[in-house]
Amino acid sequence: MGGSLLDMGALVVVEGLDGAGKRTLIETVLGQLRAHGRRVATLAFPRYGRSVHADLAAEALRGRHGDVAASVNAMALLFALDRAEARDELAKLLADNDIVLLDRYVASNAAYNAARTGQSADGEIASWVAELEFGRFELPVPDLQVLLDVPVELAAERARRRGELDSARALDAYERDEALQQRTAAVYRGLAESNWHGPWRVYGAHDDPASLTACLSEILAR
Ligand code: TMP
Ligand code: MG
């Protein structure tokens, strides 16, 4: 990319279930892009420890704050407000890098909350989330969303093991709910198939991270 003020990095999002392996994939791809001399940055949502909204959401999913967790819209608002607060930070990362890789973004809110209400990717909740976050909060629309689509049982097992090894990652209400994880996986596939707010790419458990790195390099070459 050249040096014009209009140049902005590409916004790439990795989405998937709890325990899908998003973080590992992101770390690998970041390393490969850096080895190719790319300026890359990463940011994970929710921004725990940095956003009061993110922390409230995590606490609610562990039984605090009364009936907040029972409300689909209240939970979605907390996660959305975390991102709204991060808008300047995100803009700066995009200005300073060739690629910004996000671990979860707006589609997480669409997938989990549509799944909670038994809706699909083209339902009311997903539209409401998009209007709120891309519309009202003016969050940037991703250049690419990557669905890390691993078998639900594999993701659940990984989340379980993580919770046993690290008490800070003890399972929350969503992670304990197998049926919710199943429905969330289905909504994610629907979002990917419909290219919900930008192009999607589905990435399987056995796909080589290098193929994703190559795909991102292609986006940068455009
Ligand atoms: P985490 O597992 O990535 O820490 O996120 C906590 C849970 O919240 C996870 O089950 C996914 C869900 N979630 C949403 O429902 N909406 C969002 O916008 C985000 C970022 C996460
Ligand atoms: Mg989780």
Side-chain angles (χ1 to χ4, degrees):
M1 287 196 156
S4 121
L5 281 175
L6 291 173
D7 272 350
M8 287 271 285
L11 183 61
V12 177
V13 178
V14 177
E15 291 284 354
L17 295 181
D18 297 286
K22 299 181 289 298
R23 195 184 295 187
T24 309
L25 176 63
I26 287 171
E27 289 307 322
T28 305
V29 170
L30 278 180
Q32 292 175 350
L33 288 168
R34 283 201 181 110
H36 285 101
R38 298 295 190 183
R39 295 171 305 163
V40 289
T42 185
L43 180 63
F45 290 105
R47 296 177 308 152
Y48 299 124
R50 300 178 52 215
S51 154
V52 67
H53 296 107
D55 289 341
L56 286 168
E59 290 157 16
L61 288 181
R62 288 174 174 81
R64 293 179 56 194
H65 309 304
D67 56 10
V68 166
S71 164
V72 168
N73 298 89
M75 287 304 297
L77 278 177
L78 287 176
F79 289 121
L81 285 166
D82 170 20
R83 279 184 288 276
E85 285 175 320
R87 213 169 53 140
D88 289 350
E89 179 181 359
L90 195 50
K92 173 137 181 45
L93 287 177
L94 286 168
D96 293 347
N97 290 278
D98 300 319
I99 281 206
V100 177
L101 264 178
L102 299 183
D103 181 338
R104 296 197 183 280
Y105 193 50
V106 180
S108 283
N109 236 359
Y112 280 83
N113 291 299
R116 284 191 65 180
T117 48
Q119 292 181 18
S120 53
D122 59 3
E124 220 173 90
I125 286 281
S127 304
W128 174 75
V129 165
E131 271 161 38
L132 179 70
E133 302 206 43
F134 294 131
R136 192 159 181 181
F137 293 165
E138 297 181 340
L139 285 160
V141 175
D143 295 288
L144 178 68
Q145 295 175 84
V146 177
L147 172 57
L148 181 47
D149 192 9
V150 310
V152 177
E153 201 29 66
L154 175 67
E157 181 52 38
R158 221 180 269 151
R160 245 188 324 264
R161 207 170 319 132
R162 203 154 66 189
E164 284 166 8
L165 294 174
D166 180 358
S167 64
R169 300 182 86 177
L171 295 191
D172 64 31
Y174 291 174
E175 290 163 341
R176 283 174 197 284
D177 189 340
E178 277 173 42
L180 174 68
Q181 297 286 331
Q182 289 282 1
R183 292 200 304 276
T184 303
V187 178
Y188 264 136
R189 286 177 198 133
L191 294 171
E193 273 161 27
S194 64
N195 285 314
W196 190 79
H197 294 276
W200 283 67
R201 194 186 150 103
V202 179
Y203 186 91
H206 300 294
D207 289 339
D208 184 350
S211 70
L212 183 54
T213 303
C215 166
L216 300 185
S217 297
E218 257 169 53
I219 290 179
L220 292 181
R222 272 183 215 150

